[in-house]
Amino acid sequence: MAEDSTATEPRALTVDVAALTDLLDGAYADVRRSVRDLLPAYASVLEDAETMPRAEFRERVKEVVLEIAESGAAARGFPPEYGGGGDIGASIAAFETLAYGDLSVLVKVGVQFGLFGGALLQLGTQRHHDAYLADVVSGRLLGCFAMTETGHGSNVQALGTVASYDPATAEFVVTTPTEQAGKDYIGNAAAHARVAVVFAQLEVAGERHGVHALVIPLRDEAGATLPGVRIGDDGAKMGLNGVDNGRIWFDGVRVPREALLNRFADVTEAGEYVSDIESPGRRFFTMLGTLVQGRVSVGAAGVSAAKVALTIAVRYALQRRQFETGTGDEGEEQLLLDYGLHQRRLLPRVARTYALHFAQQVLASRLHDVFSGITPDEESRRLLESRAAGTKALSTWLATDVVQECREACGGAGYLAVNRFAALKADTDVFTTFEGDNHVLLQLVGKGLLTDYASDFSDLDQLGMVKFVAGLAVDTVLERTRVHKLFEQIRDVLPGGSDDWHTDSGLRDPSYHLAMFRFREEHRIGGAARRLKRGVDAGMNPGEVFSRVQDHVISAARAHVERLVLEAFVEQVEALEDGDLKLTLNALCDLYALGEIERDAAWFIEHGRLSDQRSKAITREVGDLCRRIRPVARELVDGFAVPVALLRAPALIGGES
């Protein structure tokens, strides 16, 4: 139970930074430390990004990626027999920590080892593993992941590239039928990839079997483009210009039958399509589900970018003075972080970053368990996919928000490129749209909530989902989501019971916070279901119904993920032994929860869960918590353990350690 807000003199907070870092590092502390020790050697890449011509910087980034490959830091998730570490959880921890450094390096590592290598590992079979993985892990073979097309990004099922089987030669013929079907924005494609994992519509004996992946060579060992392959350069981007994004077109390129990544489906030499998964929809979603590690990794990188920005901004606010206030020595200006407004700008974002960090740890643990065979059941996999999609959305939106606010909080100095905010803004902006547009990802989460991952979930498109929900009672929808049961349990233990819990419970009671988050989630899921059902019952076209209710579906999904984030934070705090660290994180968790309730106060008031008086009390409480956390603000960002060389903010924090 958190402290009661009526305490007259709450105990002062203190933080042991080393203990805090150990907690944040979690089960993979050794992995994270080894990457942090590795990164300062490449701090100069942050400057190279601004001073080198684009082509030269791409080569510099490639060199760093190859050196990281040689260190083994990028191979932790691959099987030991191919040079990896055999530990998926360790690979996520390493990638998350690499995000403290230059993000072009990070993304190129992600393309090579996460997307390209991950597709070979998860979609291929022994023949592909033996042929490619050792060279991928070592960096001897650079590749790319060619899914997105100019005309199709999020709608992967409608990709235009075609791979037709020719039984006369036992080959697939890969063709780009239109310019819009060209592969686009493909990392590693413009300059360095020799091989691509290409997603295409599989056609056998004139019949389409949906999107499948094939291994297709692009260049020879000398770097020359192979016959039938055309490659273009996407050119300069808003950021990440050390990554050579490009376009690829195929003109009747022939690859052997064995090029098909055949873990879930195959084509016999005689030209028969075979798969153990009968349903095309379920087969497609099963295939994509194996690639969920990319979304987990991008979300982790977003949280790390937020940590870098907050470390710079908080340190700056603890040494920059502005205006005399009469509270200190005469003539002395006040530190920025002593101003209530500055605390309000930065400290709730510190709290939110901690919350997403712990949520990310839970997600990474679930990923490890599912892909290591500890929890191999279908339900665990579905829940993982949903949680990964939602957490990725919130974590990358966190990065965008935090980087911008921290830049503004550093004034004009924050606008100088030398202080890294320019790079952080430019390089993280795309995180909200790659590995899935955030709104589309939340739509997938909402679809799962409304159907509860029904047995035919994979076959339900948007129209099918509308019809499915319209056929259920709203109470049934809520029961299927589990949140209803959780809400009832938490409401039963609150002071005042079911009628007065929103007025009598202590503001810093985590049960109150959880009840508010769960009520919001339940109400929004029920509201979306009611709207879907009402539209269909009124005879509207299901497509029109979904279009009108889409914002409610996404709102329900966001409330669901925010509840999961709060639960992760609360559970982490409750698991700590009593002491200074628990006291501090308790206050930080309170700040996160109350800050989120304050941000959505209008909704809670509108739906009868918050009175005007209590809303004002929450606002006062958020201010009090900011003032209470202010003395340990430096320790809280130091706990992130971002190497000083990677902060690269000499005009803001100088050379302080």
Side-chain angles (χ1 to χ4, degrees):
M1 183 71 68
E3 293 180 71
D4 194 302
S5 60
T6 60
T8 54
E9 289 293 336
R11 178 176 156 191
L13 302 178
T14 60
V15 176
D16 180 331
V17 173
L20 178 58
T21 299
D22 285 343
L23 175 68
L24 293 173
D25 282 350
Y28 293 102
D30 290 344
V31 171
R32 295 176 189 273
R33 278 194 295 269
S34 68
V35 175
R36 288 198 295 265
D37 291 343
L38 175 74
L39 281 173
Y42 302 108
S44 61
V45 179
L46 299 170
E47 183 176 353
D48 295 338
E50 296 161 9
T51 58
M52 286 183 172
R54 187 167 69 249
E56 187 177 339
F57 183 53
R58 286 175 171 179
E59 295 305 313
R60 172 68 173 131
V61 168
K62 174 187 168 184
E63 291 172 5
V64 174
V65 170
L66 293 179
E67 289 178 22
I68 290 173
E70 189 175 348
S71 75
R76 300 178 188 274
F78 290 93
E81 57 267 33
Y82 302 110
D87 191 329
I88 294 171
S91 72
I92 297 295
F95 189 85
E96 181 178 343
T97 311
L98 278 172
Y100 283 164
D102 178 78
L103 294 178
S104 283
V105 171
L106 177 84
V107 171
K108 201 169 181 75
V109 165
V111 169
Q112 169 69 12
F113 302 101
L115 294 178
F116 175 59
L120 291 169
L121 176 63
Q122 299 296 341
L123 300 181
T125 53
Q126 191 72 39
R127 70 190 188 205
H128 306 105
H129 299 169
D130 291 344
Y132 299 110
L133 286 187
D135 286 341
V136 171
V137 167
S138 67
R140 292 188 295 270
L141 177 68
L142 296 182
C144 62
F145 181 87
M147 178 182 281
T148 302
E149 296 177 355
T150 304
H152 283 98
S154 298
N155 188 10
V156 177
Q157 284 179 293
L159 293 177
T161 304
V162 179
S164 301
Y165 185 66
D166 181 356
T169 60
E171 293 175 317
F172 288 102
V173 183
V174 183
T175 303
T176 305
T178 66
E179 284 295 302
Q180 288 296 299
K183 298 299 178 182
D184 210 345
Y185 327 115
I186 310 300
N188 268 9
H192 297 141
R194 284 177 46 210
V195 175
V197 170
V198 177
F199 290 79
Q201 301 287 351
L202 197 70
E203 187 175 277
V204 181
E207 182 181 354
R208 289 281 178 93
H209 295 278
V211 173
H212 292 64
L214 303 93
V215 184
I216 302 179
L218 302 178
R219 295 178 172 92
D220 61 23
E221 293 189 13
T225 305
L226 295 172
V229 177
R230 179 162 57 99
I231 298 177
D233 195 322
D234 279 319
K237 307 184 293 290
M238 285 178 63
L240 299 176
N241 282 301
V243 182
D244 51 314
N245 292 82
R247 303 182 175 98
I248 312 171
W249 298 266
F250 301 98
D251 183 14
V253 174
R254 288 181 172 267
V255 293
R257 182 177 64 89
E258 292 77 13
L260 178 68
L261 294 178
N262 62 334
R263 178 179 175 185
F264 300 110
D266 208 349
V267 176
T268 66
E269 190 169 350
E272 180 187 2
Y273 179 83
V274 292
S275 175
D276 292 335
I277 305 174
E278 186 175 342
S279 162
R282 187 167 294 109
R283 187 166 55 240
F284 172 75
F285 281 103
T286 300
M287 177 185 71
L288 289 191
T290 64
L291 305 176
V292 69
Q293 184 172 338
R295 286 177 182 162
V296 177
S297 298
V298 171
V303 175
S304 290
K307 292 174 183 176
V308 174
L310 284 166
T311 301
I312 296 171
V314 169
R315 288 190 178 188
Y316 179 67
L318 287 170
Q319 68 177 39
R320 178 75 154 88
R321 294 182 180 273
Q322 190 85 291
F323 300 111
E324 293 181 38
T325 64
T327 59
D329 295 336
E330 186 176 347
E332 184 179 26
E333 295 183 302
Q334 186 165 329
L335 289 171
L336 288 180
L337 202 57
D338 286 334
Y339 287 99
L341 177 60
H342 216 77
Q343 293 170 10
R344 272 284 198 152
R345 297 175 71 181
L346 295 182
L347 298 184
R349 288 177 168 84
V350 172
R352 202 181 315 150
T353 300
Y354 268 79
L356 264 300
H357 171 91
F358 292 126
Q360 184 69 35
Q361 280 195 330
V362 172
L363 175 60
S365 176
R366 302 278 173 85
L367 176 79
H368 178 83
D369 289 350
V370 167
F371 281 85
S372 299
I374 298 171
T375 54
D377 58 283
E378 187 66 20
E379 182 181 20
S380 294
R381 187 175 290 270
R382 290 289 183 210
L383 291 173
L384 169 66
E385 292 168 15
S386 174
R387 190 164 192 145
T391 305
K392 183 267 181 184
L394 265 60
S395 296
T396 54
W397 274 328
L398 170 84
T400 298
D401 170 71
V402 167
V403 170
Q404 176 63 27
E405 192 65 32
C406 288
R407 203 296 299 161
E408 292 184 31
C410 291
Y415 198 63
L416 301 178
V418 71
N419 287 321
R420 199 174 175 190
F421 282 117
L424 282 172
K425 279 174 61 68
D427 290 345
T428 61
D429 198 68
V430 75
F431 285 11
T432 60
T433 51
F434 75 17
E435 282 296 323
D437 175 277
N438 285 353
H439 288 92
V440 174
L441 292 181
L442 286 181
Q443 184 173 296
L444 293 175
V445 174
K447 175 182 171 183
L449 289 172
L450 290 165
T451 62
D452 189 40
Y453 311 97
S455 59
D456 53 355
F457 164 73
S458 297
D459 294 325
L460 291 179
D461 57 13
Q462 292 172 357
L463 305 187
M465 184 268 287
V466 172
K467 293 176 181 176
F468 179 87
V469 174
L472 299 175
V474 173
D475 287 346
T476 302
V477 173
L478 292 175
E479 289 291 347
R480 292 166 69 92
T481 66
R482 297 183 182 82
V483 69
H484 181 77
K485 188 179 298 182
L486 290 169
F487 177 75
E488 291 295 336
Q489 290 171 354
I490 200 70
R491 188 168 59 185
D492 289 343
V493 303
L494 287 170
S498 61
D499 295 325
D500 300 326
W501 62 269
H502 63 292
T503 57
D504 292 346
S505 179
L507 284 179
R508 295 192 192 177
D509 185 341
S511 295
Y512 169 68
H513 305 155
L514 289 167
M516 291 287 275
F517 276 56
R518 287 168 178 163
F519 171 82
R520 181 178 59 177
E521 176 185 358
E522 180 184 61
H523 194 285
R524 287 181 175 174
I525 293 171
R530 289 185 190 93
R531 286 173 171 85
L532 289 168
K533 186 173 180 62
R534 192 160 53 236
V536 172
D537 289 347
M540 292 176 59
N541 178 282
E544 177 67 17
V545 173
F546 181 80
S547 179
R548 292 190 179 192
V549 179
Q550 193 173 19
D551 57 331
H552 295 280
V553 172
I554 290 174
S555 177
R558 183 157 190 160
H560 168 71
V561 182
E562 288 175 344
R563 188 259 296 175
L564 294 177
V565 171
L566 177 60
E567 285 181 345
F569 203 164
V570 170
E571 288 168 7
Q572 178 63 75
V573 173
E574 289 180 345
L576 293 174
E577 294 182 2
D578 290 343
D580 291 337
L581 185 57
K582 183 170 186 173
L583 194 66
T584 299
L585 289 181
N586 216 349
L588 203 62
C589 187
D590 289 344
L591 178 57
Y592 166 68
L594 292 175
E596 294 301 299
I597 293 170
E598 182 189 38
R599 287 208 301 171
D600 214 5
W603 187 92
F604 285 110
I605 292 171
E606 186 179 83
H607 292 85
R609 293 296 93 180
L610 204 59
S611 65
D612 291 347
Q613 183 178 356
R614 193 163 179 82
S615 177
K616 293 175 182 177
I618 286 175
T619 295
R620 288 193 299 271
E621 198 71 44
V622 169
D624 289 345
L625 284 165
C626 285
R627 286 186 289 277
R628 188 172 182 217
I629 290 168
R630 151 66 183 93
V632 294
R634 171 66 187 262
E635 288 84 352
L636 288 173
V637 296
D638 283 356
F640 297 146
V642 183
V644 173
L646 301 179
L647 295 177
R648 192 175 176 254
L652 294 173
I653 62 173
E656 66 165 306
S657 60

